[in-house]
Amino acid sequence: MTDVDAGFWTTVADTVAAVCLLAGAFLTFAAGVGTLRFPSLLARMHAVTKPQVLGLILGLTALALRVRNWSAVAMLVLVVIFQLATAPVGAHLVSRAGFRTGKVDETELQPNEMDPSSTDDPH
């Protein structure tokens, strides 16, 4: 590979990294705004888990494209895997604690039509 080709691919990688970083920052910002603006615990929890995780992944992808060191990229992949494994568990625990402490207004929730113990079951 010539120096011109290497410079071209470096520029492409840097541009993709910048786009990933900006998109990740936007998603992280959106998660923060959603946390402040949404009215209920479950809506806030959704705002925190969905865009925050994708924003972090995009930010780490941008970092991996800039660093270009295999040991650092391997560590970033481990961070992504750990985040993907723990974010759903954390969200589940927050929602469960909200239900147990009465912080969730159950009148705003949709009924569970698949529940066999439902009182409006016509069968």
Side-chain angles (χ1 to χ4, degrees):
M1 196 184 313
T2 65
D3 289 337
V4 174
D5 289 340
F8 172 75
W9 290 115
T10 299
T11 304
V12 168
D14 289 346
T15 305
V16 171
V19 169
C20 285
L21 188 61
L22 288 173
F26 173 74
L27 286 171
T28 303
F29 177 73
V33 170
T35 302
L36 294 174
R37 299 290 310 257
F38 284 164
S40 68
L41 173 75
L42 297 178
R44 288 184 187 134
M45 179 190 65
H46 180 75
V48 170
T49 55
K50 302 292 181 183
Q52 179 65 32
V53 171
L54 185 57
L56 177 70
I57 291 171
L58 286 172
L60 293 177
T61 301
L63 184 62
L65 287 169
R66 284 292 295 146
V67 171
R68 296 185 196 105
N69 181 352
W70 285 110
S71 62
V73 170
M75 185 64 67
L76 294 174
V77 168
L78 288 176
V79 170
V80 167
I81 290 170
F82 184 73
Q83 183 68 28
L84 288 173
T86 58
V89 174
H92 176 76
L93 291 176
V94 167
S95 65
R96 189 171 178 164
F99 274 107
R100 287 186 174 180
T101 59
K103 303 292 185 202
V104 175
D105 184 14
E106 293 188 32
T107 60
E108 295 180 3
L109 300 177
Q110 297 275 337
N112 184 1
E113 297 173 356
M114 300 298 289
D115 186 13
S117 65
S118 177
T119 58
D120 10 304
D121 188 16
H123 303 310

